[in-house]
Structures are given as structure tokens and as C-alpha cells.
Amino acid sequence: RNSGQHLLCKLTAAASSYKVLFVFTSMASVTHKNAKRIEGLDKNVWITFTSVAADPTIVNLGQGYPDIPPPSYVKEGLVQAVMVDRLNQYTRGFGHPTLVKALSQVYGKVCGRQIDPFKEILVTVGGYGSLFCSIQGLIEEGDEVIIIEPFFDCYVPMVKMAGAKPVFIPLRLKSDRKTDISSADWFLDQDELASKFNSKTKAIIINTPNNPIGKVFTRNELQAIADLCIKHDTLCLSDEVYEWLTYKGHDHVKIATLPGMWDRTITVGSAGKTFSVTGWKLGWSIGPEHLVKHLQTVMQNSLYACPTPLQEAVAQGLLRDYELMGQPDCYFSSLAEELQGKRDRIATILKQAGMNPVIPEGGYFMIADVTALNQHLSHVEDDEPYDYKFIKWMTKEKKLAAIPVTAFCGEESIKHFEKYIRFCFIKQDSTLDAAEAILKNWNKA
Amino acid sequence: MLRRPVRNWASIWKRPVRLINCQKKTGMARQLHARRLEGVDKNIWVEFTQLTADYKAVNVGQGFPDFSPPSFIQEAFCSAITGGASMHQYTRGFGHPALVKILAKFFGRIVGRDIDPMEDFQITVGAYQALFCTFQALIDEGDEVIIVEPFFDCYQPMVKMAGGTPLLLVCQKSTGPALSSADWVLSPEELASNLNPRTKAIVINTPNNPLGKVYQRDELQMIADFCIKHDIICISDEVYEWLTYDGAQHIKIASLPGMWERTVTIGSAGKSFSATGWKVGWAMGPGNIIKHLKTIHQNSVYHCATAAQREYDTFGTEDSYFKQLPAQLHKKRLRLAECLRSVGLEPVMPQGGYFMITDISSLQVDLNDPSTKDEPYDFRIVKWLIKEKGLATIPVSGFYSPEHRGNVQNYIRFCFVKEDSTLKAAEDIIRQWSVKK
């Protein structure tokens, strides 16, 4: 039985297409069948590509997490929290009081409004957990949810698990230039966007700064989305986990601060991305009480509470940086500055290899167009998009790993994205040095 | 905002509900919440922890220790924190390798089989989430799930949220004075008579919260026979597995013949290591069932592994925390029972777990709180105790469905996993109040 499952896993990984429906092995009995809500949702791009990460000879710019250390005061805060007995026991389910109060302070300042720490904030297991509570709390069978491509991959399975229908709209490249493209050159077509809204549209999910392109939506672009939400009485789920990581000349704008939007928006944030501690899996949802209370209901029926010492440590970190907001010492801005250097460095070395990077305005990913390399890949497996084949070839031949961008789009949009691959640049200098060595020598056989 | 009035047992809990007129306040005309939330919006812990905090009551209500976790636990955590950059980033989604490996070894030894660390475990944010993933992964609309009452309150809303129908079976108190949790039994006839084609799973909890009942081998065998005969999945919540008293033995139903392949066993690091705030738990079972839980979930925890390794190494010895903790709690349990008896109350001695329920029939209390007048008697007493006496407990009828609540309105639940000073403070309140009568 076990070997059958292993073979099946290998086969599905080899097929490596998110389009392939997972076929279940027959089990001991009929009643051991899974619930319908998870059918077709067990495939995951990370299963295919993280096995690659295990090989230490490969320079891995695929995985989306830092290999730079978190700030020391954050780690110290956790050590201190663990030594307080009471902080090893259950805390308030919807969020540890110290943390929700700190969040209320930080975001109250950023949004320019009073935010009730107990009614308008929910602490969750990462940004992922906030997305889950929001979708489970507010979306159901019969609803449509607009998702902008390319999207963080979990949005689609979560919307499907809630019984709703994802409706896609791609960001489109509009530029006269062939090179020196920026994420700002990718836009939503306004007529196309308007056409996606109808009476069934319960929500639109936006992600700014965007993973993987790095687009930072401007105030005007957000206003256009807001106008449609208000016109069609639609909710907005705004994934802003990379909110602090915007580069010079680009400001993060919160759609919830636009007129008429606070009452219909849930904004998602992440401690993992804010403090470079992705493994802590702490995030938050902020919004009006009449929406957040439904997320709280999901929380009380699924996890009850998040870990206490982690929440206390994040609270202390936030309070420290709140005092420093606007100053160069503030981690929220110092990290962005550090990453800007890495961003520019990676862009240069990708160009050296002949790729065309899209310079991101925010976030820690960069996509690059590999068309100019003219890499022939017909000998690699047939029915996959070009970027999947390219990555497999690059991993094997060049010992460099990245992620295919079509993993983040629906089937109809594959042709728009299949020449792009995604690199993560929140990496130590030694990792970037190793990548540079590979890319410099790209054209030497 | 709701399209129809929601009538269900949960509405008995009188948490003040602010009915917000959606249209005026928000400008949104459409229904906001998903229907899966209907009937599951009340929660006894949210309600009573708030009340306890508001009145700063002596807390022998919610089930968490207020004494320190063992020092090796805190040391393990600290060493993980300073253990290198990768310790703070994502780990394997289904469970940190070091943790699942030690759990597989540990429970493999207990259950007597080779358990695959990668296939047979899902690490979760507390046992609570393991239960959630299990129901979401396995229960479809219309499936029936047998729940044995009294039950940890979350089972029922979780089954409902998954679209399932809870089938409630009462563990009956045998006639005569029920002085031990062993006096509550599940009848095989009642179990058999509640079967129908949609019955998909049964949830058991041993040691039981709130009764403290530790199911005997023959009782588990009876349930196992039922599961095997009718091809039913068993969800076994064993978070208090290390806490048994007076020689009662915890038995894992998954270790009975024919049961491993149909059982999901739920465990908790929080309860095992007196660190409930860590929120680390697991679901353990055959790979073909656990894989469905994996689809629901992604997680990352790492610091439990070191602590679990230590317990593996000291298992069965005097050094084992799993021996020391029950020995420590055994005394507290006796102490609390004696205090309750001394004021004329009748505690039910638990064979295991964190809790003791007590019959409070002999109390004569003048309850004149109009805000609770429609609630069950034990809810009213508990709220009165918090507000007037500064003592927090939990009403036992909260662990029953409304249909079966009638016989248990005279019980309240105490948690004795508390520092001696807390127990003393509780005792002082109880004795003083009794004297006044």
C-alpha cells in the first residue's frame, strides 16, 4: 500500500502539471474516502520544486524565504518571553493582548484611524492563516472571487475549498521598451477588469506588493479597483504581507484607507515577512468589526489561539520599531534598503547572462524573461509550459534553481507568462555570489 | 444580516450579541458571512475567559497549568531560538523532520508498530487544529459523526462546520452515587442502535474532558468492534494520555487489532509538556488517511523536537516528566476533592486528565442575576461564582447538547492543574462561602 502511494507521488511529480487531476488509489473501503472539498487540491507546486532544494550543490533562489538572519532583538524577545511561565500557556484566542494592542498602534498610525485591538484585529497562523479565515468566513458556494494573475498560489485552492469560483484577470505588460522593464510596466486593463465583476462577485483578492512580479499598485490603480468594489458591493481581500518592502520612489498604499473601503476590506499582514521570521507563522487580519468577527468565528472553530510566546515577541518587536518609524534604524525601512542593493545586484547579473529581468518596485522576488536566451527545450518533457521545462533544465545543467511563473496563473494565461522565471533575492551575499558565478559563465559551454 | 433566524442549541449561550444592521453601518447590502458559520459562532471559552478576566477571578476554570513548565522545556525552546538562521524560517509543511521522527519512534514503541514519520503524521497548531483538519478532510455534507457526551465542546461545531451531522450518545452515569469517573459508561446497545448508512466516524476522548474517565480495554474493544464491523473511522482525542491516576492505564485504541488502519489519534505537546501556549499538536494515523489532512494544512514548528527527544530517552524512568507530572497532579487532585467534600459537595474522582466535576446540588444559592435567567442552572451558578465570589469554574452542561443537558445542570468543572497557591485561594473562597451559609 505504501509503495503504491510513493509511486503515485513520483508519477504526479513527474507529470508536474497543476492541470493534472489527482487520481486516488482505491482504499481499504469506500467510507475512508476524503471529503469532496479537498478534491483536486492536493497538488502543489512546492512539492515538485522543494525536493530540488535538498541538493546542497544547487544554488537555490527559488524558495521564498530569507537565508539572512532575523534581527537579534526579535530573537531575544522570544527568549525572554519563553522564560515567563505564564507566556507558555494559552492566551486570548483572537490575539494576545500585547500583540493586538501593538498592531493597533502601528496600523492606527499608518492608516490614520483608531483601530480597535479586540474587535478589528485577528491574529492568525501567518498571512496564510488570515487568507484561510477570511475565505472560510466570508466566501461560499455560488460566490465568484476575482484573482489577479500572477497570484500567490494558495488563493485558488482556498477559494475552491470554500466552494466558490475563481475568476482570473492577468496583469499585462505594456511598454515600448524591450529591456529595462519594471513591475510598473505591468497593468490591469480597466475595461477587462470591469467586465469581471457581476452580481455573484463576492470579493476580489489583491496582493500589493505583488508576488511574483513585485508590482506596487499606485493610488490611482487602487482607486479604480475601489470604485468597482463599491459599485458592485464587493469585498476586498488585500494581501499586504510585503508592505514594508518597497524600494525608492515607490510607496505602499493601503486600499482600506481609500474612501468607502474600510468597511469592505480585510487587510492581511505578516510577522514572518516583516521580521524575516517566516518560520514563526504569525500574521494578522485587520478590518471592520462586522467582517473580522466572522474570521474570529472561523478561528475559534479551527485553532482557537496562536502560540503565546511568539506573539509576545512579535509585540515587543513592533513596539520597538513603532518608536523608530520614519528613522533609518527602523527595521521596516532598513530591511528595504538592504534588499534594494540585493535587488539591483541580481538584476545586473541576470542581464549579464542574457535574461531580461523585470525590476520589482517591492517585495523580494524578481521575474526574468528568458526568451532572448533562445534555449531549446523540446527534448524535455512535452506537455509542460516552457518555464517548467526551463527551470528543470537550468537546475540540472546550471545548478541554479528558480520557480516557474506559470505556477501562479490560470490555464488561459500560460502563454503570457511561460517565458518568465522567478528569483528570490532575500539571500545572503554568499548565496548571491554563487549565483553570480553561475550567471557570469552562462554562455560558456 | 442573517437570512433566517438561527435556532439552535448554541443560542442558549447568552453572550451579548450586538445585532449590527448591516445596511446602515456598512453600506453593504449583501449577506457577508458564509453559511458554514451559522450556528457555530458561540464559544464557551471566549465567553468564560472574558468573564474571568473582567472579574479577576481565581481561575480553576480553563484547562491550563499556572505553574511553570519543566525547565528542560524552556531550555529546549531557547536553544532552538539561538540555533541558526534556518530555525526561524519555514520548515517542512507537514511537520518538522526532527519532530516527526522522534514522535514516530516514541509512539511506535508504545503502539508496537513501525510508524512512518513522513506519511503517518501531521503536525498542527495544537490538538485543536488536528481535530479541525481531521473533520475538514474526512467529513462531507450529510455525513454523521458519533460524539460521546460529555464532549470537549469544539467537536460539535467543527463537525457542523464541515457540513456533518453530530450524533450525540451519552455516557450514562450508573445508578447510585457516582463517585468516580469510572461510573460513567457507554452502553453497547445505544452505540449499535445509533448506526445508519451515513455514519462515517466516531469521536472518543480518553482520558475524558470533563469527566476524567479513562476508557478500559474492554470498553475500547467494544468501540473497536463497532468500528470494524461497520467500517467506521475512529477519531481518538488523547491529549491527556500521560495523566492517569490510581493505577488507571491509558490504552490507545489504535493499538487494538484492526484499528490502526481506521484511527486518527490526536496528541498535544501543550498538554504533554505543560506548555499549552505553544499550540503544538499532531494527528497520527495510517498514511492514506493522514494525507487528506495534509491537503488542509501547512505548518511550521521546530522547538518541540528537542523536548520530545528528551522524553523519549527518559521514558519509563523516574526522570520522565510523564511520570513526575501525574504524581504531582495526583496530590492536587486529592486535595481539591477533600476540600469540596468538607463543604458538603460531591466531587467525581477522575481517573485521568486535568479536571474534576462536582455535583453542586447541595448549594443553596440565591441567584438573582436577571441577565442569566434563561440559562441552564450550572451556567448561572458559574457566572454567579465569578461575579460574586471571584472564583472561575466551567459549567458541565456546556459539554452536552441541549437534548441531553437536563440531567447535568448540577455539575461544575474544576481544573486542578494549578499551583498550590491558586488551589489554596480557591479553597479559601469555597470554605468561607460555605461558612456563611
Side-chain angles (χ1 to χ4, degrees):
Chain A
R1 185 191 52 170
N2 268 340
S3 62
Q5 276 151 22
H6 280 127
L7 178 61
L8 193 62
C9 278
K10 286 205 174 85
L11 284 173
T12 50
S16 172
S17 166
Y18 60 92
K19 293 172 290 191
V20 172
L21 271 180
F22 187 85
V23 174
F24 284 102
T25 49
S26 70
M27 284 171 263
S29 80
V30 164
T31 56
H32 287 190
K33 211 167 147 13
N34 55 287
K36 292 193 202 72
R37 69 179 58 81
I38 58 173
E39 224 132 270
L41 302 184
D42 54 305
K43 295 292 285 90
N44 187 297
V45 65
W46 310 111
I47 295 173
T48 312
F49 290 98
T50 49
S51 57
V52 158
D55 182 345
T57 65
I58 293 173
V59 178
N60 202 324
L61 297 190
Q63 296 167 294
Y65 65 67
D67 68 3
I68 58 175
S72 54
Y73 60 86
V74 165
K75 288 192 286 186
E76 276 150 30
L78 185 54
V79 171
Q80 279 164 30
V82 167
M83 297 319 291
V84 176
D85 291 343
R86 180 66 184 87
L87 295 178
N88 286 283
Q89 308 303 335
Y90 292 131
T91 184
R92 176 176 170 271
F94 304 144
H96 187 53
T98 333
L99 177 55
V100 294
K101 286 177 191 164
L103 288 167
S104 160
Q105 265 188 284
V106 170
Y107 288 102
K109 182 167 176 170
V110 169
C111 296
R113 68 180 293 138
Q114 293 262 49
I115 299 180
D116 185 320
F118 301 111
K119 299 194 178 125
E120 297 181 315
I121 299 180
L122 174 68
V123 176
T124 56
V125 180
Y128 221 92
S130 274
L131 293 162
F132 185 79
C133 286
S134 300
I135 292 169
Q136 283 286 311
L138 302 170
I139 307 296
E140 61 182 356
E141 192 128 359
D143 287 341
E144 291 186 7
V145 177
I146 299 175
I147 296 176
I148 297 170
E149 296 166 307
F151 48 84
F152 180 56
D153 70 298
C154 79
Y155 302 161
V156 168
M158 283 191 186
V159 164
K160 284 180 160 171
M161 196 176 139
K165 178 180 165 199
V167 170
F168 300 110
I169 174 169
L171 283 165
R172 295 180 187 280
L173 176 58
K174 285 190 174 64
S175 173
D176 299 326
R177 294 187 309 281
K178 289 279 183 207
T179 57
D180 293 318
I181 302 289
S182 139
S183 55
D185 296 318
W186 291 75
F187 301 95
L188 287 176
D189 181 294
Q190 290 307 308
D191 293 331
E192 194 183 4
L193 179 62
S195 76
K196 303 289 177 179
F197 282 78
N198 63 52
S199 58
K200 293 197 188 135
T201 311
K202 185 76 184 274
I204 177 169
I205 302 179
I206 67 171
N207 175 218
T208 178
N210 167 277
N211 172 9
I213 293 187
K215 179 179 177 64
V216 173
F217 284 71
T218 64
R219 185 172 292 274
N220 286 341
E221 289 174 309
L222 293 174
Q223 189 61 64
I225 295 170
D227 292 341
L228 285 164
C229 286
I230 291 166
K231 178 176 176 184
H232 294 274
D233 198 22
T234 299
L235 297 173
C236 179
L237 182 52
S238 185
D239 176 353
E240 301 182 15
V241 297
Y242 301 105
E243 59 187 305
W244 308 113
L245 299 179
T246 56
Y247 304 116
K248 282 206 178 63
H250 307 289
D251 288 326
H252 175 70
V253 177
K254 285 175 134 17
I255 196 170
T257 59
L258 300 184
M261 287 307 285
W262 172 260
D263 284 333
R264 60 181 66 252
T265 305
I266 293 285
T267 306
V268 175
S270 159
K273 301 295 193 289
T274 299
F275 289 116
S276 305
V277 286
T278 60
W280 288 25
K281 290 293 286 184
L282 271 187
W284 41 81
S285 300
I286 299 184
E289 180 182 357
H290 58 266
L291 294 181
V292 170
K293 77 177 188 197
H294 299 307
L295 281 62
Q296 291 177 336
T297 301
V298 176
M299 186 69 179
Q300 84 195 19
N301 286 302
S302 59
L303 267 81
Y304 179 68
C306 287
T308 314
L310 297 175
Q311 293 191 66
E312 177 70 26
V314 171
Q316 297 307 325
L318 285 170
L319 290 170
R320 181 235 189 235
D321 283 302
Y322 173 79
E323 295 302 324
L324 296 170
M325 264 166 92
Q327 295 172 43
D329 265 6
C330 177
Y331 190 67
F332 304 159
S333 30
S334 68
L335 179 63
E337 198 161 317
E338 186 185 346
L339 290 184
Q340 176 138 359
K342 293 180 193 283
R343 178 194 75 160
D344 296 341
R345 182 181 173 188
I346 267 281
T348 306
I349 59 188
L350 290 175
K351 281 184 209 157
Q352 277 180 350
M355 298 188 196
N356 268 319
V358 173
I359 311 299
E361 303 154 273
Y364 48 64
F365 302 106
M366 179 180 295
I367 67 172
D369 184 341
V370 298
T371 312
L373 295 176
N374 268 320
Q375 185 60 46
H376 292 296
L377 296 169
S378 45
H379 56 284
V380 184
E381 283 148 69
D382 263 357
D383 60 349
E384 284 184 324
Y386 184 85
D387 54 351
Y388 273 71
K389 294 194 226 183
F390 187 92
I391 297 271
K392 288 187 174 160
W393 169 85
M394 184 173 78
T395 309
K396 191 168 164 217
E397 302 299 328
K398 301 291 180 184
K399 298 289 196 180
L400 178 65
I403 297 289
V405 172
T406 60
F408 304 107
C409 73
E411 209 169 310
E412 313 278 297
S413 296
I414 289 177
K415 52 189 181 295
H416 300 303
F417 294 108
E418 69 175 334
K419 290 302 177 65
Y420 290 94
I421 61 179
R422 186 196 82 170
F423 293 93
C424 173
F425 55 86
I426 184 164
K427 303 290 177 185
Q428 300 183 64
D429 286 342
S430 57
T431 313
L432 298 179
D433 290 340
E436 182 166 8
I438 293 170
L439 289 158
K440 266 199 168 121
N441 295 314
W442 192 273
N443 292 312
K444 300 167 190 168
Chain B
M1 181 161 62
L2 298 178
R3 284 205 283 264
R4 61 189 186 281
V6 177
R7 289 192 164 281
N8 55 63
W9 65 285
S11 65
I12 291 173
W13 289 337
K14 274 283 200 315
R15 181 177 79 161
V17 172
R18 289 175 51 203
L19 288 170
I20 293 172
N21 182 320
C22 162
Q23 214 141 350
K24 285 200 191 96
K25 187 168 161 82
T26 70
M28 288 199 69
R30 62 165 83 236
Q31 164 155 323
L32 295 171
H33 65 279
R35 270 164 297 186
R36 69 178 64 80
L37 300 191
E38 267 158 37
V40 299
D41 55 313
K42 299 285 188 297
N43 182 286
I44 193 173
W45 310 110
V46 171
E47 184 177 12
F48 283 93
T49 50
Q50 187 61 57
L51 208 51
T52 304
D54 290 345
Y55 286 87
K56 298 187 176 20
V58 173
N59 198 340
V60 282
Q62 194 184 8
F64 64 85
D66 64 1
F67 48 74
S68 357
S71 57
F72 70 81
I73 276 289
Q74 287 160 308
E75 280 153 27
F77 205 134
C78 291
S79 75
I81 295 167
T82 53
S86 67
M87 277 292 160
H88 295 277
Q89 308 306 334
Y90 294 127
T91 184
R92 177 176 169 269
F94 308 132
H96 188 55
L99 177 57
V100 292
K101 282 176 187 162
I102 185 59
L103 288 175
K105 240 169 104 171
F106 197 106
F107 288 112
R109 190 162 69 173
I110 292 174
V111 167
R113 65 183 298 135
D114 274 332
I115 303 180
D116 184 322
M118 301 300 159
E119 303 296 320
D120 297 346
F121 276 95
Q122 170 66 52
I123 304 296
T124 53
V125 181
Y128 213 91
Q129 196 197 21
L131 289 161
F132 179 75
C133 289
T134 305
F135 292 120
Q136 286 284 315
L138 299 174
I139 304 303
D140 255 323
E141 193 98 19
D143 283 343
E144 293 196 353
V145 179
I146 299 173
I147 298 176
V148 181
E149 299 190 274
F151 53 88
F152 180 55
D153 72 299
C154 77
Y155 305 158
Q156 185 169 19
M158 284 188 184
V159 167
K160 281 170 112 169
M161 205 172 134
T165 307
L167 250 178
L168 300 147
L169 277 193
V170 188
C171 218
Q172 299 284 2
K173 186 160 52 103
S174 49
T175 51
L179 298 175
S180 155
S181 53
D183 296 327
W184 263 261
V185 288
L186 183 61
S187 124
E189 293 78 33
E190 212 187 330
L191 186 59
S193 72
N194 273 285
L195 179 75
N196 68 64
R198 291 307 305 260
T199 310
K200 179 111 183 234
I202 176 170
V203 187
I204 64 169
N205 172 219
T206 176
N208 173 274
N209 172 8
L211 288 177
K213 176 180 176 63
V214 174
Y215 283 69
Q216 304 294 298
R217 185 171 289 275
D218 57 345
E219 291 176 298
L220 293 174
Q221 191 60 63
M222 185 260 292
I223 295 170
D225 292 342
F226 175 79
C227 288
I228 292 167
K229 180 173 178 186
H230 303 289
D231 197 19
I232 285 168
I233 296 174
C234 179
I235 300 167
S236 185
D237 176 353
E238 302 183 13
V239 298
Y240 300 107
E241 59 188 305
W242 306 115
L243 298 178
T244 57
Y245 311 113
D246 296 332
Q249 248 210 327
H250 174 73
I251 296 166
K252 290 180 120 41
I253 196 171
S255 64
L256 299 185
M259 287 306 285
W260 171 262
E261 41 266 42
R262 61 182 64 255
T263 305
V264 178
T265 304
I266 309 280
S268 161
K271 297 294 195 291
S272 298
F273 296 116
S274 302
T276 59
W278 288 22
K279 291 291 288 182
V280 175
W282 48 82
M284 172 177 79
N288 65 307
I289 296 184
I290 296 296
K291 77 175 180 202
H292 301 312
L293 278 67
K294 287 175 175 176
T295 307
I296 305 283
H297 173 78
Q298 181 182 25
N299 186 27
S300 165
V301 286
Y302 45 82
H303 41 272
C304 282
T306 321
Q309 180 71 55
R310 191 246 187 225
E311 274 311 300
Y312 178 81
D313 293 336
T314 59
F315 190 70
T317 70
E318 288 313 305
D319 269 352
S320 164
Y321 188 65
F322 298 161
K323 270 213 161 170
Q324 292 172 357
L325 182 61
Q328 200 189 352
L329 295 185
H330 172 77
K331 293 193 199 127
K332 293 180 193 278
R333 182 187 70 130
L334 289 175
R335 176 183 172 165
L336 179 65
E338 206 183 286
C339 167
L340 292 168
R341 277 187 212 115
S342 75
V343 299
L345 295 175
E346 286 180 31
V348 174
M349 283 308 278
Q351 299 153 285
Y354 271 15
F355 308 105
M356 177 182 295
I357 69 171
T358 300
D359 188 331
I360 44 158
S361 309
S362 63
L363 290 182
Q364 305 292 322
V365 176
D366 188 11
L367 292 170
N368 54 12
D369 185 348
S371 75
T372 65
K373 73 175 167 50
D374 292 331
E375 292 181 357
Y377 181 70
D378 55 346
F379 272 71
R380 305 191 69 202
I381 287 270
V382 166
K383 289 186 178 177
W384 179 85
L385 277 172
I386 293 174
K387 293 177 186 175
E388 302 298 329
K389 299 292 169 189
L391 181 69
T393 57
I394 298 287
V396 172
S397 67
F399 299 89
Y400 282 84
S401 61
E403 303 90 77
H404 302 143
R405 174 170 298 181
N407 294 335
V408 288
Q409 292 191 38
N410 292 329
Y411 286 95
I412 64 178
R413 187 195 82 169
F414 288 82
C415 173
F416 52 84
V417 184
K418 302 288 178 186
E419 276 202 322
D420 287 344
S421 58
T422 310
L423 294 176
K424 176 154 195 328
E427 283 160 17
D428 288 345
I429 293 171
I430 294 167
R431 289 211 168 95
Q432 206 186 46
W433 159 42
S434 151
V435 161
K436 284 202 177 128
K437 299 273 147 285

